[in-house]
Amino acid sequence: FFVSGIVFLAVKSSMQKFELVQTDYYADELKYQTVIDASARAKEMGGALTIQQEMGKMIIQLPNGFEHSKLSGKVHLYFAAAEQKDIIKDFETRDGKIFVELLSTTKGNYTLKLDLLRDGVSYYYEQKVFL
């Protein structure tokens, strides 16, 4: 009975699928200094992101320093357990609000990674979100 249990566990564990968090992690690691600098600039702006969920949408309100500015960038809702559940969206805004459509299957703990670009200067925010 013990041997059959061990064999069952060995077979079951060999069928598990393991995904890398990032497919090209080495190149991403080399670019990480730019993320550190953009994150420091975002802290200098003061304030924090305000996130609301309404009727299948997530509304991201940027700090007051970004209002009335032309902004562009990328929203990445990163789901660590499965890459298929990640949501990536490019955006442009002038009022400091970003709208992201959510699917009904989008449930769980996500990390919001927000890259902003204003007048050629990049800003970066990262925050945990539960959807």
Side-chain angles (χ1 to χ4, degrees):
F1 181 71
F2 176 74
V3 172
S4 63
I6 295 297
V7 169
F8 172 76
L9 289 176
V11 170
K12 190 73 171 168
S13 66
S14 69
M15 295 185 332
Q16 289 287 31
K17 182 179 168 189
F18 296 101
E19 296 180 6
L20 289 175
V21 172
Q22 296 174 335
T23 54
D24 193 12
Y25 63 90
Y26 183 71
D28 288 343
E29 193 66 31
L30 292 176
K31 292 187 256 178
Y32 199 68
Q33 185 60 44
T34 59
V35 172
I36 292 170
D37 296 340
S39 183
R41 282 190 291 274
K43 284 183 182 178
E44 290 173 6
M45 290 295 293
L49 300 176
T50 305
I51 300 172
Q52 298 175 342
Q53 296 177 44
E54 296 177 0
M55 298 187 299
K57 290 183 183 178
M58 181 170 70
I59 303 167
I60 304 167
Q61 177 67 52
L62 299 172
N64 292 336
F66 289 109
E67 289 180 353
H68 310 296
S69 298
K70 183 179 179 186
L71 302 168
S72 62
K74 180 169 58 169
V75 175
H76 183 183
L77 284 168
Y78 169 70
F79 190 74
E83 185 178 7
Q84 301 87 349
K85 292 182 93 176
D86 283 8
I87 298 172
I88 300 173
K89 180 186 176 205
D90 293 326
F91 69 89
E92 286 189 11
T93 184
R94 288 189 175 273
D95 63 357
K97 288 186 181 181
I98 303 165
F99 298 91
V100 179
E101 294 284 332
L102 300 175
L103 304 172
S104 60
T105 58
T106 310
K107 303 269 189 238
N109 288 319
Y110 285 81
T111 302
L112 170 67
K113 298 179 179 186
L114 181 63
D115 290 308
L116 295 173
L117 191 62
R118 178 177 74 174
D119 299 327
V121 179
S122 62
Y123 300 87
Y124 179 79
Y125 289 93
E126 188 169 310
Q127 185 172 329
K128 299 286 184 188
V129 179
F130 183 78
L131 304 175

